[in-house]
Amino acid sequence: MLKLGLALCLSMLLIAPAHAADTVTIHLAGDSTMAEKLPEKRPETGWGEFLASQFKPGTVQVDNRAKNGRSTRTFIEEGRWQELLDATRPGDVVLIQFGHNDQSVEKKDRYTPPADYARNLARFVADVRARQATPVLLTPVARRRFDEAGHVLDSHGEYPDLVRALAASGQVALIDMERRSAAVLQESGVEPSKRLFLWVAVGESANYPKGVEDNTHFSPAGAERMAEEFAFALRQTGLPLALLLK
């Protein structure tokens, strides 16, 4: 009975942050696949923009600090991580999803070698825990890439496995967005999956007058689907935050 009581008390502490008794603040640290977009980027949409709608009204507040083009390294170097930490309070939740830009070896302004990527993620986890908040690691979402047989191709090399390894060794909650998003793409198929991404026909959008075929960034429909996948996976983790889902 005593153990059960302690467990319930711990759960309540994780659900109810000290600075906002009625809501949980969820901070997002990540890249363009998660970020809120500028008007000139629309209809490109980050899946973090649909996160709040997965929860019961009034139960969460989303602080989306994800940014286009950022890797773990540049997120730290630009002071974005410190700003997020400064805003983090006991009981908050921090979602950490990087990888797209870290593994872009041809882009020297953002590339982060695998060993540094793993160290940066470990630092993020330790920093969040030091704030008495809950870190949640996410693998990067899959790109829309298929082979000639219509099978989804790997998007990120060894980087997702580094996230999984850290989650296992550090006992950190993990949402495997790479596997979930790849399954969505496989189920959708080569042509139908285009609607989930930023595929815009010529003349369809003033922001892309010549059209665009982008297999990395989401359309509103794709972003919403990824947020739904996150919510489904969160429900399976047993985290107290899952109790607030619709």
Side-chain angles (χ1 to χ4, degrees):
M1 183 63 69
L2 179 59
K3 289 183 178 179
L4 177 59
L6 288 172
L8 288 173
C9 288
L10 177 59
S11 294
M12 292 305 295
L13 284 171
L14 288 172
I15 291 175
H19 62 295
D22 296 328
T23 62
V24 173
T25 298
I26 307 174
H27 305 277
L28 310 187
D31 54 39
S32 58
T33 61
M34 178 188 266
E36 183 175 351
K37 305 302 174 180
L38 296 172
E40 57 267 28
K41 287 285 188 178
R42 301 296 183 185
E44 180 181 328
T45 309
W47 71 261
E49 297 183 77
F50 283 95
L51 181 60
S53 64
Q54 306 306 310
F55 293 87
K56 298 170 187 174
T59 60
V60 304
Q61 177 179 343
V62 175
D63 174 28
N64 191 345
R65 294 174 184 263
K67 195 77 172 176
N68 282 35
R70 270 53 180 191
S71 61
T72 56
R73 175 174 62 80
T74 60
F75 206 78
I76 293 169
E77 290 175 350
E78 294 174 2
R80 297 179 186 278
W81 179 247
Q82 187 59 52
E83 290 173 358
L84 184 152
L85 282 180
D86 290 343
T88 300
R89 301 291 182 268
D92 288 356
V93 176
V94 181
L95 308 186
I96 303 164
Q97 181 192 271
F98 290 94
H100 271 81
N101 298 299
D102 293 84
Q103 60 95 219
S104 297
V105 66
E106 73 283 359
K107 297 179 180 179
K108 302 302 181 184
D109 63 322
R110 60 193 69 175
Y111 173 65
T112 310
D116 291 342
Y117 173 72
R119 278 192 290 271
N120 291 341
L121 291 178
R123 169 184 170 176
F124 291 167
V125 168
D127 286 349
V128 172
R129 285 176 167 169
R131 293 298 198 280
Q132 299 178 52
T134 301
V136 181
L137 290 171
L138 284 67
T139 51
V141 290
R143 293 186 175 94
R144 183 184 166 276
R145 296 178 58 208
F146 293 87
D147 64 18
E148 293 182 358
H151 299 127
V152 176
L153 292 169
D154 170 73
S155 295
H156 304 292
E158 66 185 292
Y159 286 75
D161 279 340
L162 293 172
V163 182
R164 296 177 187 117
L166 175 60
S169 64
Q171 296 184 310
V172 188
L174 173 70
I175 304 292
D176 203 332
M177 291 297 288
E178 187 199 41
R179 287 174 176 162
R180 298 203 69 87
S181 56
V184 168
L185 291 176
Q186 194 64 64
E187 178 185 354
S188 299
V190 176
E191 288 301 314
S193 63
K194 289 178 181 178
R195 66 176 290 273
L196 302 176
F197 287 81
L198 188 62
W199 276 62
V200 178
V202 175
E204 185 179 337
S205 169
N207 284 338
Y208 305 96
K210 297 182 180 180
V212 64
E213 297 179 358
D214 183 337
N215 294 311
T216 295
H217 301 104
F218 297 117
S219 66
E224 184 172 22
R225 178 61 188 274
M226 294 305 146
E228 292 170 350
E229 289 296 317
F230 171 85
F232 186 85
L234 175 63
R235 199 180 302 277
Q236 297 176 318
T237 64
L239 285 173
L241 183 65
L243 299 175
L244 305 181
L245 291 166
K246 289 180 177 176

